[in-house]
Amino acid sequence: MKISYDWIKEYVDIRMAPETLEEALTMSGTEVISSEKLGDDRIMELEVTPNRPDCLSMVGMAREISAVTGKRFKKPTAKLPSFKVLKDQTPLKIEIKDKDLCPRYTGRIIKGVEVKPSPVWLKKRIESMGLRPVNNIVDITNFCLFESGQPLHAFDYAKLDGGRIIVRRARKGEKITTIDNNVQELAASDLVIADSARPVAIAGVMGGVDTEVAAFTKTILLESAYFAPNSVRRTARRLGLPSESSYRFERSVDLGAVLSASDRAAALILDLAGGELGQLCDIGKKAASEKKISFDMSSVNRVLGTDLSEQQIKKILTLLQFKLKPKGKDKVDIQIPSFRQDLNRGIDLIEEIARVYGYERITPKIPHIVGHTDRVEDSRKVILRSREILASAGLDEVITYSLLSRAKHRNLRLSEDNLVALRNPLSLEQEVMQTSQLPGMLDVVAHNLNRKVDDIEIFAFGRSYQRMGKKRYKEEAILTIAMCGNIKEEQRGYRKVNFFDLKGALDLLMDELRVPFSIEEKRFAWCREGLSCVIKISEKEAGFMGELKGDIRGQLGIERPVFIAEVNFDAVTKSAELKRSYKEVPKFPSILRDISIVIDESISADRISKTIREAAGSLAARVELVDIYHGKQIPNGSKGMTYRVEYLDKKKTLRDEEVNGPHQKVCSAITEQLNAKIR
Amino acid sequence: MEEKLRQLQVEANGAIEAAQDVAGLEEVRVRYLGRKGEIADIMGKMKDLSNEERPLVGKFANQLKNEISAKLEQRRRTLGTGAAETEKVDVTLPGMQRRLGHKHPITQTMERINEIFLNIGFRILEGPEIETEFNNFTALNIPQDHPSRDAFDTFYLEDEFLLRSHTSTVQIRLMQKERPPLQAIMPGRVYRPDATDASHSFMFHQVEGLMVDERVTFADLKGALDIFAKQMFGTQTRVRFRPHFFPFTEPSAEVDVSCIICKGKGCRVCGQKGWLEILGAGSVDPAVFKAVGYDPRQYTGFAFGMGVERIAMLIYGVDDIRLFFENDLRFLRQF
């Protein structure tokens, strides 16, 4: 909201530099967002908080300035000529059909006005608020809106069908052309001002063009009313018609000041446009009931941590124009003026006191911390550690949106059974919640490939969201990894990333977290045949790993193989062990034995190493694949492999002879059970 | 003859020291220890010695042989291995690849914030993103007809559930489960239907905090956030509390820190004001305590909240929030 420094000086005795005032306002809760010179005036843009509709005017801000600076407040008064209600009664019938949306409506007839340009002083005020002067009648209604905060509207009375005003909800399909010459289609929830035939204004939002005051208007109907904040807000927002008027109604005007604003405008109209006062109709609730708060002054220091005296507290309350009635020790009854609808409880008054006293004057204290023994949840610790591990392994963390389009979800052939859908999505791009981070990750892959960034190894921690039934939702932590493109190899170039880069990263992570982890072949709709695995944690299915199906990545415009894995991280957390305890480092030297074999291609590495481990017995500390090769010496359909077995006795130095036995067993197991040849 | 051996000892030591490379050293070896070398020559002449002299000289000659041998070996180690020593290396070739991945800048910022509050005794709590109206609004003293409940400002699901628009929901969950004293922060994702532009995103991250006990005051809030601001932005940082309005706190404040770019002198980032708004805060409104079954006469508390993206943008000088979610690796690898 704007205020004019020159204008506001009419209502409060301030003689301070604008900068000083700006600082005082900002530090008492009305932030000055900007301040600009306009001729010899200064226009300040204020951010008035939603609880202070009483500040949305020159008079309201003058009152506020008076409270925070201690300077005297001067209220403007309307000098209405003593009521000479005209003999020839112009019939004025006002009816409120929807009292819930309009508790009070006043209409007043002014006859014989002369519509003409406003005088210079009025034009200047209107222009200082960033509006263009229209004519004296319209300018006066705007002037009063800015001065008092009560929006007013003037109708050309002659154009009101039947000379009637009906305040009612719009009928479905009703239309109105507003003064900006746009046709607005009304909804049944919109409140309108209608004559006997049609809506003539959207209540509190904008008037209709048919009944606007124009050059030949002779008789006007001046409206001043209270419209319910929510109704005005919804209508203005739905129609995209924010106005100075709706801005104030939606924050609530002062029900008790509806008529005085009308008086003030009427007096100005008589003064500047001539004419005579006609009938006044004031229907509905007259004023909000007066409020009284019993206030315990000792609560001020208890909440604020200050050391304010009763004297200081009372002084501040008086500055705020509250009437105090002492009620024994520490207690005081406080009468709240009608313009402060936001104050209802003692705590509200404490805020007022703190605000006027100055937050800056409250001395900071170090809070007394009790301290908790376990301050980070286990699930969080595991995720924190995992981020470190994955980043150390060269993977970059990404954060993807948890909302996505149904189409993207569908493209990946993910199940739609428990999909969580938004009732009011911003766009179809963010219509449902993810059950997997795969779509988001693939967007990242595509985005980077398109920009020639092709060394992609990324991970993301997020959640999957599912609707499990009525009022039952499930959120689970998930970790997703994607790899695509090239990996820089040592010094001289690149090699293509492959499935085992992905598996290696997961192996490393699970190993560090001490999570029992294995994979088995299993089909997933989004993985290509032959490279599609289920991830098992403690023997339970907990995710998938594989290569993205070619047609899916084709649709996404990704031209290179993408390797993907996703694991339920709640399952990981449950099995993870971050605690470490010392195990003795072997004191005696071990013996290494290599075994090179030629074996059928179809026999899995997993099976071979299991066979070796079982045959080698308790002395085998480690079984490791050290080489795998194909070539001229190896027949087609076979592979050459070299395994290394480390034999170790914790209690003594092993002798070669002691290893011969177990190692012989390894050789026979491999040749007999797996039909391999020793090379 | 003994005299001759002593002379050889001095000469040999000098020659070993003087040798500049392995080849030179080999020459020394051949000259003294070779089959036709000096020591062999003396050994050959020993048959002319008397029976008394022979064993003494023989012993000495053997000692000297061993000594020269040892010295030669020692010298050879310090001289290195010849050709490899002089091999020229192009040191401007790139180093062997050791790639470190990067945590997302939002994660890093959030961890920094969390760390500070952890160190002053707060604990970290998380909660669901799909929430009830009660936890997101009602318990926080946000009236039924408040604009923030509009479909314009909150994402709704079926069954009156919604996507939390702030992590205050975790405060409510905590207070419903435990009794004071409490001090916790709640980091997490939140959602608001804002059209995406350089400074708005429909999904972003928040860290909120809550402290409740008997006699927790607004002065304590100022103290806690003062510590936070100085640790986050530097010890020279000044903090300013401006009165504001939030339904769930009373008194409420917006908290500014002196601009981290211009140190308060005024620049483009702070709009020439010298201050940056980074937090909303206040004393917990008694209505919130009532909603969770605490007695507001017994307990007081404070709460605060901040947007992680905003702080990350300030710290790193990022001018478009969308960069955080676009995940261009050329961006992410800068942090």
Side-chain angles (χ1 to χ4, degrees):
Chain A
M1 189 202 60
K2 285 191 178 74
I3 57 169
S4 145
Y5 190 63
D6 185 53
W7 189 350
I8 211 154
K9 279 198 289 197
E10 289 186 17
Y11 318 117
V12 59
D13 247 338
I14 35 168
R15 269 174 243 106
M16 54 176 73
E19 292 75 19
T20 315
L21 176 65
E22 286 162 16
E23 176 75 8
L25 286 175
T26 293
M27 296 315 291
S28 60
T30 312
E31 192 185 356
V32 180
I33 296 164
S34 63
S35 167
E36 269 165 43
K37 260 181 88 98
L38 183 76
D40 51 2
D41 194 3
R42 198 163 183 103
I43 308 300
M44 300 171 192
E45 178 75 37
L46 309 180
E47 191 203 333
V48 175
T49 54
N51 61 325
R52 293 299 305 277
D54 62 297
C55 285
L56 296 175
S57 65
M58 296 301 148
V59 169
M61 276 315 298
R63 206 159 43 204
E64 173 70 8
I65 291 167
S66 156
V68 299
T69 60
K71 305 292 180 200
R72 200 168 62 86
F73 171 59
K74 302 177 284 184
K75 198 178 173 178
T77 47
K79 287 161 280 170
L80 266 185
S82 54
F83 256 70
K84 274 194 297 178
V85 177
L86 292 178
K87 288 279 177 305
D88 68 320
Q89 277 296 341
T90 309
L92 175 57
K93 279 187 230 134
I94 296 177
E95 189 186 351
I96 306 176
K97 281 259 207 284
D98 291 293
K99 287 210 163 67
D100 56 331
L101 302 187
C102 175
R104 187 179 190 184
Y105 193 98
T106 71
R108 158 182 269 148
I109 294 206
I110 302 173
K111 253 193 123 170
V113 295
E114 187 191 346
V115 178
K116 57 183 178 186
S118 301
V120 173
W121 69 265
L122 179 55
K123 279 185 176 165
K124 189 185 158 213
R125 291 293 185 232
I126 296 299
E127 281 166 349
S128 75
M129 292 293 102
L131 292 190
R132 211 161 26 83
V134 180
N135 58 46
N136 50 359
I137 304 294
V138 172
D139 293 348
I140 288 167
T141 58
N142 282 329
F143 175 88
C144 290
L145 173 148
F146 291 122
E147 186 188 60
S148 68
Q150 169 66 47
L152 302 167
H153 185 68
F155 295 98
D156 184 337
Y157 185 70
K159 292 177 186 156
L160 289 174
D161 190 285
R164 292 186 59 164
I165 287 287
I166 304 161
V167 186
R168 60 164 169 86
R169 284 183 163 86
R171 298 187 187 111
K172 207 166 184 285
E174 266 185 328
K175 284 182 184 144
I176 182 172
T177 307
T178 43
I179 52 171
D180 56 359
N181 273 313
N182 285 317
V183 179
Q184 301 289 354
E185 193 155 330
L186 298 165
S189 56
D190 296 330
L191 187 72
V192 296
I193 313 302
D195 60 16
S196 49
R198 72 223 144 129
V200 292
I202 307 172
V205 178
M206 200 174 270
V209 76
D210 292 349
T211 53
E212 77 176 325
V213 172
F216 304 110
T217 301
K218 287 291 166 230
T219 305
I220 59 165
L221 173 74
L222 181 65
E223 166 198 288
S224 179
Y226 183 101
F227 299 121
N230 289 316
S231 158
V232 173
R233 188 183 80 239
R234 294 208 176 99
T235 300
R237 194 150 182 184
R238 188 176 59 76
L239 299 175
L241 280 180
S243 62
E244 294 287 355
S245 160
S246 68
Y247 178 66
R248 286 164 178 81
F249 280 122
E250 63 190 51
R251 281 161 180 76
S252 177
V253 297
D254 181 0
L255 190 62
V258 168
L259 187 59
S260 60
S262 173
D263 288 349
R264 169 79 167 147
L268 282 169
I269 290 170
L270 295 183
D271 201 19
L272 300 179
E276 292 171 295
L277 283 180
Q279 198 187 334
L280 167 73
C281 221
D282 179 1
I283 53 175
K285 221 166 131 191
K286 292 296 174 284
S289 49
E290 286 244 309
K291 267 181 303 188
K292 199 179 73 185
I293 299 176
S294 304
F295 189 52
D296 173 6
M297 285 185 286
S298 70
S299 63
V300 173
N301 292 330
R302 185 176 81 97
V303 170
L304 299 180
T306 44
D307 204 12
L308 293 176
S309 69
E310 201 169 296
Q311 220 48 40
Q312 282 173 294
I313 293 171
K314 282 182 176 162
K315 191 183 164 215
I316 292 172
L317 291 170
T318 314
L319 277 173
L320 287 159
Q321 304 196 7
F322 304 157
K323 291 195 185 79
L324 313 186
K325 218 184 269 167
K327 287 268 165 155
K329 190 181 179 299
D330 291 341
K331 303 275 191 295
V332 61
D333 272 356
I334 295 171
Q335 203 165 319
I336 306 297
S338 76
F339 56 84
R340 290 307 300 270
Q341 296 160 44
D342 58 313
L343 304 177
N344 299 298
R345 307 163 302 168
I347 192 74
D348 301 331
L349 296 175
I350 295 175
E351 180 176 61
E352 287 300 294
I353 291 162
R355 201 168 68 75
V356 174
Y357 176 70
Y359 283 8
E360 285 312 277
R361 291 165 70 193
I362 299 173
T363 316
K365 288 188 183 128
I366 304 299
H368 171 74
I369 300 287
V370 175
H372 297 275
T373 44
D374 209 359
R375 286 178 288 148
V376 183
E377 293 166 297
D378 287 343
S379 55
R380 187 171 187 86
K381 280 185 200 158
V382 176
I383 289 183
L384 285 174
R385 179 75 192 118
S386 302
R387 278 206 188 94
E388 298 292 341
I389 294 167
L390 292 170
S392 308
L395 282 77
D396 292 307
E397 186 190 18
V398 302
I399 296 179
T400 62
Y401 292 127
S402 23
L403 297 170
L404 74 164
S405 70
R406 207 179 277 271
K408 274 189 182 159
H409 182 88
R410 220 168 255 167
N411 273 351
L412 276 158
R413 289 159 216 173
L414 295 161
S415 161
E416 290 183 49
D417 293 347
N418 304 324
L419 210 49
V420 180
L422 297 193
R423 230 169 55 198
N424 58 329
L426 261 181
S427 81
L428 291 181
E429 293 301 302
Q430 299 115 25
E431 200 187 354
V432 296
M433 303 208 72
Q434 67 186 16
T435 60
S436 158
Q437 295 186 108
L438 218 42
M441 293 293 270
L442 294 172
D443 279 349
V444 176
V445 170
H447 173 97
N448 281 286
L449 285 177
N450 287 339
R451 284 155 186 79
K452 307 275 183 294
V453 180
D454 66 355
D455 52 334
I456 302 169
E457 295 179 278
I458 52 177
F459 70 96
F461 279 99
R463 293 183 186 182
S464 76
Y465 309 82
Q466 293 183 71
R467 184 166 190 263
M468 307 309 289
K470 207 167 160 43
K471 299 197 177 223
R472 278 178 53 233
Y473 291 90
K474 188 165 87 178
E475 290 177 40
E476 288 175 319
I478 47 178
L479 163 67
T480 314
I481 302 181
M483 294 189 180
C484 179
N486 297 320
I487 287 186
K488 188 153 194 225
E489 197 165 46
E490 300 207 317
Q491 207 167 12
R492 290 170 193 85
Y494 295 85
R495 68 168 170 81
K496 289 191 176 103
V497 74
N498 66 50
F499 174 77
F500 296 100
D501 290 308
L502 174 67
K503 190 183 172 195
L506 264 181
D507 276 340
L508 173 75
L509 175 66
M510 296 304 174
D511 207 41
E512 274 301 306
L513 299 177
R514 309 287 190 261
V515 170
F517 150 86
S518 63
I519 60 169
E520 279 167 29
E521 281 178 41
K522 179 173 177 175
R523 284 309 310 277
F524 289 94
W526 48 90
C527 288
R528 81 160 169 85
E529 213 181 317
L531 199 39
S532 177
C533 314
V534 61
I535 293 176
K536 287 188 167 180
I537 287 172
S538 306
E539 304 300 317
K540 277 204 205 109
E541 295 200 0
F544 62 83
M545 174 153 92
E547 182 185 336
L548 186 67
K549 233 170 165 314
D551 59 334
I552 297 179
R553 69 175 161 83
Q555 277 171 359
L556 296 167
I558 299 174
E559 286 175 1
R560 315 181 60 169
V562 186
F563 303 94
I564 47 176
E566 187 160 87
V567 55
N568 177 327
F569 220 73
D570 290 336
V572 173
T573 303
K574 246 179 249 152
S575 306
E577 182 54 84
L578 296 179
K579 283 198 201 92
R580 295 292 186 258
S581 49
Y582 163 70
K583 275 198 217 101
E584 196 178 38
V585 177
K587 280 192 184 120
F588 301 98
S590 60
I591 292 177
L592 299 179
R593 289 282 173 90
D594 286 0
I595 174 167
S596 291
I597 57 173
V598 176
I599 194 163
D600 194 88
E601 192 78 75
S602 68
I603 295 174
S604 74
D606 209 26
R607 199 167 148 212
I608 301 169
S609 59
K610 258 188 205 143
T611 307
I612 296 176
R613 201 166 286 126
E614 275 164 26
S618 60
L619 286 181
R622 189 165 53 99
V623 175
E624 191 183 15
L625 174 68
V626 290
D627 199 9
I628 178 162
Y629 44 94
H630 295 88
K632 271 184 242 149
Q633 321 91 300
I634 310 294
N636 262 353
S638 295
K639 54 190 170 183
M641 296 175 104
T642 301
Y643 279 87
R644 176 167 298 162
V645 188
E646 181 180 14
Y647 294 97
L648 178 74
D649 190 331
K650 282 179 189 159
K651 299 201 180 67
K652 61 179 194 329
T653 302
L654 272 179
R655 280 172 299 127
D656 258 1
E657 307 88 83
E658 291 173 275
V659 174
N660 291 344
H663 201 65
Q664 193 47 53
K665 278 191 195 147
V666 169
C667 296
S668 4
I670 285 193
T671 47
E672 286 157 24
Q673 293 173 28
L674 302 180
N675 208 16
K677 284 197 201 87
I678 309 275
R679 274 160 51 90
Chain B
M1 202 164 276
E2 206 179 318
E3 191 65 16
K4 173 79 178 161
L5 280 170
R6 286 193 200 289
Q7 201 185 323
L8 277 180
Q9 186 178 27
V10 176
E11 276 176 31
N13 281 340
I16 289 168
E17 282 302 308
Q20 282 313 305
D21 49 31
V22 178
L25 209 57
E26 180 61 12
E27 275 172 35
V28 177
R29 191 187 68 79
V30 171
R31 194 160 106 224
Y32 294 98
L33 302 183
R35 270 195 306 133
K36 291 175 183 166
E38 300 274 7
I39 294 189
D41 184 44
I42 288 180
M43 299 282 235
K45 287 174 184 159
M46 278 206 325
K47 56 184 189 300
D48 306 333
L49 293 174
S50 67
N51 283 345
E52 298 84 60
E53 239 180 336
R54 203 180 299 127
L56 287 175
V57 172
K59 197 177 166 200
F60 188 29
N62 269 324
Q63 267 174 12
L64 183 58
K65 220 167 126 179
N66 290 339
E67 184 187 321
I68 294 173
S69 243
K71 287 217 166 121
L72 278 169
E73 179 56 25
Q74 205 178 4
R75 181 70 181 145
R76 198 178 57 76
R77 282 199 198 132
T78 61
L79 278 179
T81 49
E85 273 307 282
T86 52
E87 187 196 18
K88 194 81 177 131
V89 172
D90 178 0
V91 294
T92 64
L93 279 173
M96 292 291 185
Q97 179 77 357
R98 291 254 190 284
R99 217 184 75 75
L100 192 61
H102 299 77
K103 289 193 280 184
H104 196 282
I106 292 301
T107 303
Q108 293 189 41
T109 308
M110 197 135 81
E111 283 179 13
R112 261 176 81 179
I113 298 168
N114 293 345
E115 202 60 37
I116 294 170
F117 286 106
L118 266 180
N119 287 342
I120 54 177
F122 284 68
R123 61 182 159 147
I124 304 183
L125 290 177
E126 287 168 292
E129 292 163 27
I130 297 177
E131 268 288 5
T132 60
E133 284 202 60
F134 181 83
N135 286 347
N136 199 70
F137 294 125
T138 313
L140 289 158
N141 194 34
I142 299 173
Q144 209 60 46
D145 54 8
H146 194 269
S148 67
R149 292 200 187 214
D150 278 359
F152 293 108
D153 289 302
T154 302
F155 284 121
Y156 285 92
L157 310 174
E158 290 166 79
D159 322 324
E160 309 298 308
F161 274 65
L162 46 79
L163 298 188
R164 65 179 179 194
S165 54
H166 42 206
T167 58
S168 316
T169 51
V170 187
Q171 301 186 10
I172 299 302
R173 287 173 175 270
L174 170 63
M175 288 191 281
Q176 283 173 332
K177 216 172 79 191
E178 293 180 29
R179 309 289 302 171
L182 301 172
Q183 55 251 337
I185 54 166
M186 304 85 186
R189 285 187 190 185
V190 300
Y191 304 84
R192 291 179 199 172
D194 286 326
T196 306
D197 62 26
S199 49
H200 294 89
S201 174
F202 60 86
M203 178 185 103
F204 58 101
H205 297 75
Q206 270 195 335
V207 176
E208 293 210 356
L210 173 74
M211 174 160 182
V212 183
D213 202 349
E214 293 174 6
R215 291 188 294 276
V216 173
T217 67
F218 195 81
D220 292 319
L221 168 67
K222 287 191 72 178
L225 293 184
D226 199 55
I227 294 173
F228 165 72
K230 289 191 161 69
Q231 292 200 15
M232 191 77 196
F233 304 110
T235 43
Q236 302 306 310
T237 308
R238 283 165 294 127
V239 186
R240 163 175 112 156
F241 284 66
R242 279 182 291 107
H244 200 70
F245 172 75
F246 304 111
F248 29 87
T249 48
E250 191 89 350
S252 302
E254 275 188 335
V255 184
D256 300 339
V257 293
S258 49
C259 179
I260 59 175
I261 313 291
C262 63
K263 312 285 173 218
K265 288 194 248 338
C267 67
R268 195 182 54 82
V269 174
C270 61
Q272 307 304 328
K273 288 195 177 85
W275 295 97
L276 296 167
E277 182 208 323
I278 55 150
L279 277 146
S283 298
V284 180
D285 194 293
V288 176
F289 285 147
K290 277 188 196 146
V292 296
Y294 286 4
D295 181 355
R297 286 166 305 181
Q298 186 184 1
Y299 296 115
T300 49
F302 64 72
F304 57 85
M306 65 191 104
V308 180
E309 278 77 1
R310 162 136 179 97
I311 293 179
M313 287 169 88
L314 291 172
I315 290 178
Y316 298 122
V318 172
D319 56 7
D320 192 328
I321 195 170
R322 287 169 292 201
L323 286 167
F324 292 123
F325 302 109
E326 202 173 68
N327 295 298
D328 192 308
L329 290 170
R330 293 166 299 180
F331 172 75
L332 296 179
R333 286 173 183 161
Q334 295 178 22
F335 302 98

